[in-house]
Amino acid sequence: MDAQSRGRAEGADPADQWVLNPQTDDYELRLDGGPPPAPPAPSVPRQRTPQAPGPRPGGPRERDPGPPGRDGDTAPDGPRDTHRRKRKQPQRSGRRKALMWTGGVMGLALVGGSAFAYYWWDRLGGNIDTVDIGDVGSATVLGDGPANILVIGNDVRTGEGNEAYGNRDNVTGHADTTLLFHVAGDRSNATVVSIPRDLMTEIPDCETRQSDGTTKTIPGSDGTTRFNESYGVEGRDPGCTMRTVEQLTGLDVDHFMMFDFNAVKTLSTAVGGVEVCLEEPLKDTSGGTKLDLPEGRSTIQGEEALSFLRNRHGLKNESDLDRIGMQQKFVASMMRRLKEDTLSSPSKLLDVADAATKSLTVDKGIGSPAKLLTLAKELGKIDLKNITLMTLPVVDNPDEPKPVTVVPDPVKAPQVFSMLQDDVSFTEVKKQQKKAKDKQAALLKGARAEASAVRVDVFNGGGPQGAAGDTVTWLQTSQGVSRSANQGNAPAKVTRTQLVYAPDQADQARKLADLMGLPAAAMKPTAKAGGEAPMTLTLGPDFKGAGVPVSTPKKVDVPQSRADEKMCKG
């Protein structure tokens, strides 16, 4: 009989048996209601077998360091007091903020160091499913600088009660509700962008790992394909969705987290319900679900919460875009519930952690409780008021007589992407130490070559028609860049103007940036020497014309909300 079961009252939750000893000012595990038990005899710490490094570039995979210690770090070698833990101090709020990000997975931070934590550590680790997505994404949890995490809502219909949302032969599902979390390099702010499932976009070719260890390339599609087909169709895995988002936004996506229908039910129930407010009653008149909410304040969970998130009926235009707005408010409300209520109860935290991980699939880069804890602690540095939620700016698809799909707004979408690429906050943050941005800006510092020494090929990758030819003419006739050449349309469109150059061409690149008015974010140095080969300048949608500086906007006029804004006023 182990330390967890010995003396336990029947039906008692071990997490509720932590009590405060006023004499020591510590929490102690009292399993039988009596005095705290004596510490166990020293024992040899459990050893974990190191994992072999993965094949992906960017460094070897991290080893799972095992359960956290009292400060959320790797448990130290040697015996550990399995019956006591330090009380949470008010000023150490970072850990509490961190927990809300992963739906309670990080509840272990509050019981780290106890024998009970070892049990839950193994249990949660067994819950998590991982997918090998090959060379897309990052092998590390979070590196220096900005990070992008894709949260995919899988619309697979398996599970009790889900038949109300329509049967589907595809048991894999599709990318339904998809959120792109952009985390600032200094962790002071974050932006959450919802990507509509009915967005028409280009899906690139995608290499997927098969169960037998082989690699299979899934052909991509042109711009007439719905975004939700980036996962589940033709065998596409979450890595294909990541590649699609990278091509759409021009951002590097580091990790993915995928949840299914059941996650909404179990998570909303585990936190004790999520508060929502409606300006008018909301009822599903289609008969698909039993959703029937009154005007004003309601607390929903389980089946009712899923119905709320899936519902379109009764909304303004009964569209997916209307539903996305409701989903964003629900997510923000759940985050506040976790922070204000759930985090104070160890038993609730463990329920949330168990519920979250049972419905969670991630890439191997974050595929363990230890790695999720590391991720959560970093994300927990962000104040709710500095988390912006928005929907990707879109317009009706002009190629449809009666539009049912959407395409990116040709003006506002590139502006949003440009701000994310340059790590510009959508909120007013008091202090931002943008190390990554400073490093990028340093690319413009240094010697400049003479204009006559600049060698560059110019491509049009999304700029105005004839932009490459007009730019070369302007460079040669008025700027003295005689060794510039028009190469016509680029092999693929880009999301923004970029200048690719070799290390030994840095002086040329700086001179051209001065002439063109290129921002630091447009500079793309490579590792290989260029020699006599020309640099490559690809003009993107942000390019307005020869002689017009290319710059990043400081703000964009799109509907936004903040995570600290309450859905229910008063």
Side-chain angles (χ1 to χ4, degrees):
M1 184 176 294
D2 60 20
Q4 287 75 47
S5 58
R6 185 167 54 249
R8 181 184 301 169
E10 183 177 358
D13 187 336
D16 289 330
Q17 297 180 43
W18 285 98
V19 296
L20 178 66
N21 186 333
Q23 297 178 348
T24 63
D25 201 32
D26 289 343
Y27 280 106
E28 300 179 356
L29 181 61
R30 301 191 180 185
L31 299 173
D32 55 3
S43 59
V44 178
R46 183 180 56 184
Q47 300 295 319
R48 290 182 177 266
T49 303
Q51 297 177 356
R56 291 164 51 187
R61 297 272 186 198
E62 299 173 345
R63 289 188 296 173
D64 183 351
R70 293 185 179 181
D71 291 328
D73 297 324
T74 304
D77 293 336
R80 177 176 289 284
D81 182 349
T82 60
H83 297 284
R84 304 178 71 180
R85 61 174 180 172
K86 287 292 184 182
R87 180 169 60 178
K88 180 83 172 167
Q89 297 300 319
Q91 66 269 26
R92 296 174 64 187
S93 60
R95 184 180 295 167
R96 285 197 170 195
K97 294 177 183 176
L99 298 175
M100 66 187 173
W101 279 93
T102 53
V105 170
M106 300 310 118
L108 295 174
L110 297 182
V111 295
S114 70
F116 185 54
Y118 282 85
Y119 164 75
W120 275 99
W121 195 261
D122 284 340
R123 176 166 174 170
L124 297 183
N127 286 349
I128 302 171
D129 289 330
T130 61
V131 174
D132 185 351
I133 53 176
D135 61 357
V136 68
S138 174
T140 58
V141 177
L142 278 183
D144 295 333
N148 298 290
I149 302 167
L150 199 63
V151 179
I152 305 171
N154 184 356
D155 67 355
V156 64
R157 268 49 167 181
T158 58
E160 183 179 354
N162 294 336
E163 63 276 357
Y165 305 97
N167 294 320
R168 177 170 289 166
D169 294 335
N170 179 13
V171 295
T172 303
H174 298 108
D176 190 49
T177 300
T178 302
L179 305 174
L180 175 64
F181 277 73
H182 172 79
V183 185
D186 63 1
R187 312 299 184 241
S188 67
N189 66 90
T191 305
V192 183
V193 181
S194 296
I195 302 176
R197 65 186 301 276
D198 294 328
L199 177 75
M200 302 303 284
T201 188
E202 182 177 342
I203 299 176
D205 293 346
C206 175
E207 288 189 353
T208 60
R209 299 294 178 86
Q210 305 301 299
S211 57
D212 60 0
T214 60
T215 299
K216 178 181 179 181
T217 299
I218 309 298
S221 65
D222 56 18
T224 60
T225 306
R226 278 181 167 89
F227 174 81
N228 71 331
E229 294 186 24
S230 63
Y231 172 73
V233 175
E234 304 293 338
R236 296 187 181 113
D237 64 11
C240 300
T241 306
M242 292 171 66
R243 286 183 170 91
T244 301
V245 172
E246 288 182 339
Q247 181 160 298
L248 173 67
T249 64
L251 297 164
D252 292 328
V253 180
D254 298 283
H255 302 291
F256 83 88
M257 304 174 72
M258 184 165 65
F259 295 89
D260 59 23
F261 275 18
N262 299 312
V264 176
K265 299 182 192 179
T266 55
L267 277 173
S268 59
T269 301
V271 300
V274 178
E275 188 176 68
V276 298
C277 279
L278 301 174
E279 296 180 358
E280 56 185 46
L282 179 61
K283 185 174 183 178
D284 182 2
T285 57
S286 69
T289 68
K290 298 180 180 179
L291 183 64
D292 188 0
L293 298 176
E295 176 185 349
R297 190 187 309 259
S298 296
T299 300
I300 59 177
Q301 62 182 14
E303 194 68 47
E304 194 171 40
L306 178 59
S307 299
F308 176 81
L309 292 179
R310 295 293 304 165
N311 177 69
R312 300 188 191 192
H313 304 283
L315 302 181
K316 183 178 179 181
N317 297 312
E318 296 194 351
S319 69
D320 184 53
L321 297 179
D322 294 327
R323 184 171 62 178
I324 286 175
M326 298 289 285
Q327 291 170 345
Q328 290 175 349
K329 293 178 180 178
F330 181 91
V331 169
S333 185
M334 177 178 279
M335 290 168 63
R336 289 192 298 272
R337 181 62 179 258
L338 281 164
K339 180 180 179 182
E340 297 169 0
D341 177 66
T342 309
L343 300 182
S344 62
S345 169
S347 60
K348 284 187 179 180
L349 278 173
L350 292 174
D351 286 343
V352 171
D354 197 32
T357 52
K358 282 181 177 177
S359 303
L360 178 66
T361 302
V362 299
D363 59 276
K364 289 187 175 182
I366 52 174
S368 72
K371 293 176 180 179
L372 287 174
L373 176 58
T374 299
L375 176 64
K377 289 172 69 176
E378 281 296 301
L379 297 177
K381 299 175 183 178
I382 306 172
D383 195 303
L384 287 179
K385 68 181 180 181
N386 292 329
I387 301 175
T388 302
L389 298 96
M390 68 174 66
T391 302
L392 173 66
V394 295
V395 295
D396 288 339
N397 188 351
D399 295 332
E400 295 176 342
K402 185 178 181 181
V404 295
T405 62
V406 294
V407 296
D409 187 303
V411 175
K412 295 181 178 180
Q415 291 177 337
V416 170
F417 298 153
S418 181
M419 289 181 68
L420 294 177
Q421 291 161 359
D422 277 359
D423 201 22
V424 177
S425 174
F426 285 81
T427 64
E428 294 184 3
V429 183
K430 292 183 179 180
K431 182 179 180 182
Q432 288 188 325
Q433 299 174 347
K434 295 191 176 297
K435 296 180 181 179
K437 190 172 182 179
D438 291 343
K439 183 178 180 180
Q440 187 72 20
L443 297 176
L444 292 176
K445 297 179 180 179
R448 267 71 173 163
E450 295 294 330
S452 59
V454 174
R455 302 183 303 277
V456 61
D457 285 342
V458 182
F459 292 83
N460 189 352
Q465 185 174 0
D470 292 343
T471 298
V472 169
T473 300
W474 175 77
L475 286 172
Q476 292 179 347
T477 59
S478 64
Q479 303 302 312
V481 185
S482 58
R483 302 172 73 178
S484 56
N486 173 19
Q487 299 296 340
N489 291 331
K493 290 186 177 181
V494 294
T495 58
R496 62 182 305 173
T497 298
Q498 60 183 30
L499 175 61
V500 179
Y501 60 95
D504 55 347
Q505 298 172 327
D507 58 342
Q508 297 181 47
R510 297 186 194 105
K511 180 62 176 181
L512 186 62
D514 291 344
L515 298 175
M516 298 282 299
L518 300 179
M523 309 294 280
K524 305 294 181 183
T526 62
K528 297 181 179 180
E532 293 300 317
M535 301 181 295
T536 300
L537 174 66
T538 306
L539 307 175
D542 56 346
F543 181 77
K544 305 306 179 185
V548 180
V550 178
S551 60
T552 301
K554 299 303 179 184
K555 61 180 180 179
V556 59
D557 184 19
V558 296
Q560 306 170 28
S561 62
R562 305 287 180 263
D564 67 330
E565 295 175 1
K566 292 186 177 181
M567 194 174 183
C568 302
K569 306 298 182 182

